[in-house]
């Protein structure tokens, strides 16, 4: 078997599935039939396909929640089909759609479940709980002693991710982890998770039925037919540009050009400047800034350079004398971070006051703006690069 990009120095993928199959009792056809694939280390590999195609069954066989009928599962080059399944599961983090937090214990105790099973001492467990809560953007002092029912759906999902990472596993399995959350929260959590993955570099198998989520989240996508037969296993770019057959093309659906917006991120773009003023600026300073700009409004920043308000000349004219700038004009909207996709950014931009998205860093400090011309230019660049690759393949 040839090694995939991202395989380990000894030629082994992080996870290798070899002729994997599952036949449930009483079923005439297997749920999974003779599946072989390599999952590179440090990548997010998405299993996507129609309902009932076997994608979740396949994922659950990796940590043997479902036992394979045949075939082999190799983790770090070791055949784990014969090892103790409980020990195997402690090496693999697991996040499910309904999160599965224990309702009657605290958030800290939920996160500490696997470390306790592994015999960690109390201080190490407490330190790890606090570290993970901070990692997923939740203040330990505020949340560690709360119960799941006291959290929002998005917060519970973050705790589920933290619990899956508690013993610092190399591998994580994620079964439609953002599927039961409202669209706005889902986009935000997806972006946060991708930002986190840049730091932790886990090997992740991620199941979804949503091709748009697959394109956004995956380093590679396995589009599956019935019985987990692979229709195409490739990068999102290649699948969008060169679908293997009509089945894949139909599964992608129309609008492949728009779907490509999920392949690029704000950090890949050159940001534009926008006229800004500090929140303690005088009305005269705002008017002067407007007079020397080609924009119709200024962006007001607080002392930490965080966007606060949009203010234009009409707002100043109508405002009561002496009113602070943060109480004049319109709230600064359409705010994104550098790891946001261009698709997310365009969605924000469509409802923005000034047809642009404000880009901020991890501390919410202003960095610049992205406008529709920037996105159009990025799309043209992607299209030209893809056509160039195809021409090179034809001539090469």
């Amino acid at each position: 078997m040839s090694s995939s990009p991202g395989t380990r120095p000894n030629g082994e993928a992080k996870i290798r599935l070899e002729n994997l199959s599952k036949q449930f009792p009483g079923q005439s056809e297997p749920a999974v039939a003779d599946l072989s694939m390599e999952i590179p280390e440090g990548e997010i590999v998405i299993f996507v396909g129609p309902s009932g195609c076997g994608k979740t069954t396949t994922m659950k066989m990796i940590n043997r929640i479902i036992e394979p009928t045949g075939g082999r599962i190799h983790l770090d080059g070791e055949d784990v089909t014969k090892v103790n399944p409980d020990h195997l599961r402690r090496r693999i983090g697991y996040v499910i759609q309904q999160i599965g937090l224990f309702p009657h214990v605290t958030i800290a105790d939920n996160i500490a479940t696997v470390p306790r099973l592994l015999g960690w001492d109390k201080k190490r467990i407490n330190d790890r709980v606090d570290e993970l809560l901070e990692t997923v953007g939740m203040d330990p002092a505020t949340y560690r002693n709360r119960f799941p029912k006291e959290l929002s759906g998005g917060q519970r999902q973050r705790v589920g991710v933290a619990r899956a990472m508690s013993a610092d596993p190399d591998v994580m399995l994620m079964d439609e982890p953002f599927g039961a959350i409202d669209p706005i929260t889902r986009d935000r959590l997806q972006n946060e998770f991708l930002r986190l993955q840049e730091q932790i570099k886990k090997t992740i198998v991620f199941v979804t039925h949503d091709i748009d989520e697959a394109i956004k989240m995956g380093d590679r996508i396995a589009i599956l037919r019935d019985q987990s037969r692979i229709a195409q296993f490739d990068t999102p770019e290649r699948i969008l540009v060169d679908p293997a057959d009509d089945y894949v093309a139909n599964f992608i659906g129309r609008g492949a050009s728009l779907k490509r917006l999920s392949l690029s991120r704000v950090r890949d773009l050159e940001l534009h400047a926008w006229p800004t003023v500090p929140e303690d600026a005088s009305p005269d300073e705002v008017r002067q800034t407007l007079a020397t700009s080609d924009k119709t409004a200024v962006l007001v920043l607080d002392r930490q350079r965080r966007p606060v308000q949009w203010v234009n000349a009409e707002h100043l004219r109508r405002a009561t004398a002496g009113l602070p700038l943060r109480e004049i004009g319109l709230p600064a909207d359409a705010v994104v971070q550098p790891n946001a996709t261009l698709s997310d950014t365009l969605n924000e931009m469509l409802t923005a006051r000034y047809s642009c998205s404000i880009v901020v860093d991890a501390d919410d400090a202003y960095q610049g703006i992205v406008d529709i011309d920037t996105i159009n230019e990025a799309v043209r660049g992607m299209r030209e690069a893809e056509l160039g690759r195809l021409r090179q393949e034809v001539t090469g």
Side-chain angles (χ1 to χ4, degrees):
M1 179 181 292
S2 62
S3 63
S4 300
T7 51
R8 300 161 68 78
N10 62 4
E12 290 285 351
K14 182 69 176 180
I15 302 170
R16 182 159 55 90
L17 309 181
E18 183 180 331
N19 305 116
L20 201 61
S21 64
K22 178 61 183 180
Q23 179 87 43
F24 286 106
Q27 299 296 315
S28 59
E29 298 288 337
V32 177
D34 197 32
L35 173 66
S36 295
M37 70 186 311
E38 292 186 349
I39 297 173
E41 185 169 20
E43 291 193 0
I44 300 177
V45 170
I46 309 287
F47 291 174
V48 64
S51 183
C53 73
K55 55 187 181 294
T56 297
T57 299
T58 300
M59 187 193 71
K60 288 182 175 180
M61 284 195 284
I62 293 174
N63 67 351
R64 291 176 54 202
I65 288 177
I66 293 177
E67 289 289 352
T69 304
R72 294 286 180 267
I73 303 159
H74 298 269
L75 176 61
D76 289 327
E78 176 190 5
D79 181 355
V80 295
T81 50
K82 304 300 182 184
V83 303
N84 183 306
D86 289 332
H87 294 166
L88 172 64
R89 289 176 202 132
R90 292 170 195 172
R91 296 169 58 186
I92 299 176
Y94 188 37
V95 186
I96 61 175
Q97 179 174 336
Q98 299 299 332
I99 307 154
L101 299 181
F102 303 122
H104 303 302
V105 300
T106 65
I107 299 310
D109 287 336
N110 266 281
I111 295 172
T113 302
V114 173
R116 283 204 182 99
L117 289 173
L118 295 175
W120 290 17
D121 64 64
K122 187 174 181 179
K123 182 180 185 306
R124 185 183 178 192
I125 290 173
N126 286 337
D127 289 346
R128 182 62 173 161
V129 167
D130 289 350
E131 176 190 6
L132 286 169
L133 283 171
E134 289 174 354
T135 297
V136 298
M138 299 176 71
D139 177 30
T142 302
Y143 292 104
R144 66 175 355 265
N145 293 320
R146 290 190 181 180
F147 289 85
K149 67 181 180 181
E150 299 177 278
L151 305 184
S152 69
Q155 289 169 335
R156 288 196 297 272
Q157 196 68 57
R158 292 188 199 189
V159 173
V161 171
R163 187 176 65 179
M165 295 192 298
S166 60
D168 199 21
D170 291 337
V171 173
M172 293 177 64
L173 307 181
M174 306 186 76
D175 188 3
E176 302 215 37
F178 310 122
I181 302 171
D182 68 90
I184 293 174
T185 304
R186 182 169 64 244
D187 284 342
R188 188 177 300 121
L189 286 174
Q190 288 170 343
N191 290 337
E192 287 179 1
F193 187 80
L194 289 171
R195 177 189 59 79
L196 183 61
Q197 171 65 356
E198 291 176 3
Q199 302 170 16
I200 61 178
K201 294 294 184 185
K202 302 295 184 184
T203 304
I204 297 169
V205 179
F206 187 119
V207 166
T208 182
H209 66 278
D210 183 346
I211 186 62
D212 293 316
E213 181 171 62
I215 291 166
K216 176 177 179 176
M217 301 295 292
D219 294 300
R220 298 171 199 270
I221 300 173
I223 297 183
L224 303 176
R225 307 178 194 270
D226 285 345
Q227 301 176 343
S228 275
R229 298 184 186 276
I230 297 174
Q232 189 168 358
F233 182 34
D234 218 324
T235 63
E237 293 91 340
R238 178 58 65 88
I239 287 172
L240 286 174
V241 175
D242 190 21
D245 55 23
D246 288 344
Y247 175 86
V248 175
N250 290 334
F251 195 83
I252 294 169
R254 300 181 64 182
S257 293
L258 285 176
K259 286 180 170 63
R260 291 187 192 110
L261 291 176
S262 291
L263 301 177
S264 290
R265 303 193 180 276
V266 170
R267 62 170 176 259
D268 302 324
L269 304 178
E270 181 178 349
L271 303 183
H272 296 297
W274 191 279
T276 64
V277 297
E279 64 178 333
D280 58 358
S282 68
D284 284 343
E285 288 174 302
V286 175
R287 292 187 188 97
Q288 184 177 358
T289 301
L290 283 171
T292 57
S293 167
D294 61 349
K295 307 299 184 185
T296 60
V298 299
L299 182 61
V300 179
L301 306 179
D302 69 11
R303 292 180 180 179
Q304 285 75 46
R305 291 188 53 77
R306 295 174 298 197
V308 177
Q309 290 293 93
W310 294 109
V311 174
N312 62 29
E314 182 65 15
H315 296 145
L316 290 175
R317 188 182 68 79
R318 293 181 178 182
T320 304
L323 203 62
L325 288 181
R326 66 165 48 244
E327 297 181 28
I328 298 172
L330 299 167
D333 57 0
V335 177
V336 298
Q337 291 195 350
N339 63 328
T341 68
L342 297 196
S343 178
D344 292 338
T345 305
L346 180 59
N347 283 336
E348 294 281 350
M349 196 180 300
L350 291 175
T351 59
R353 315 275 185 187
Y354 292 97
S355 300
C356 66
S357 289
I358 305 167
V359 182
V360 299
D361 64 16
D363 297 319
D364 294 327
Y366 169 77
Q367 300 292 298
I369 65 107
V370 174
D371 58 21
I372 193 66
D373 290 337
T374 309
I375 290 185
N376 283 338
E377 185 178 340
V379 171
R380 283 195 297 271
M382 284 186 279
R383 187 181 299 120
E384 290 170 3
E386 289 158 1
L387 290 173
R389 281 195 296 270
L390 288 175
R391 282 195 293 268
Q392 187 175 10
E393 289 175 6
V394 170
T395 57

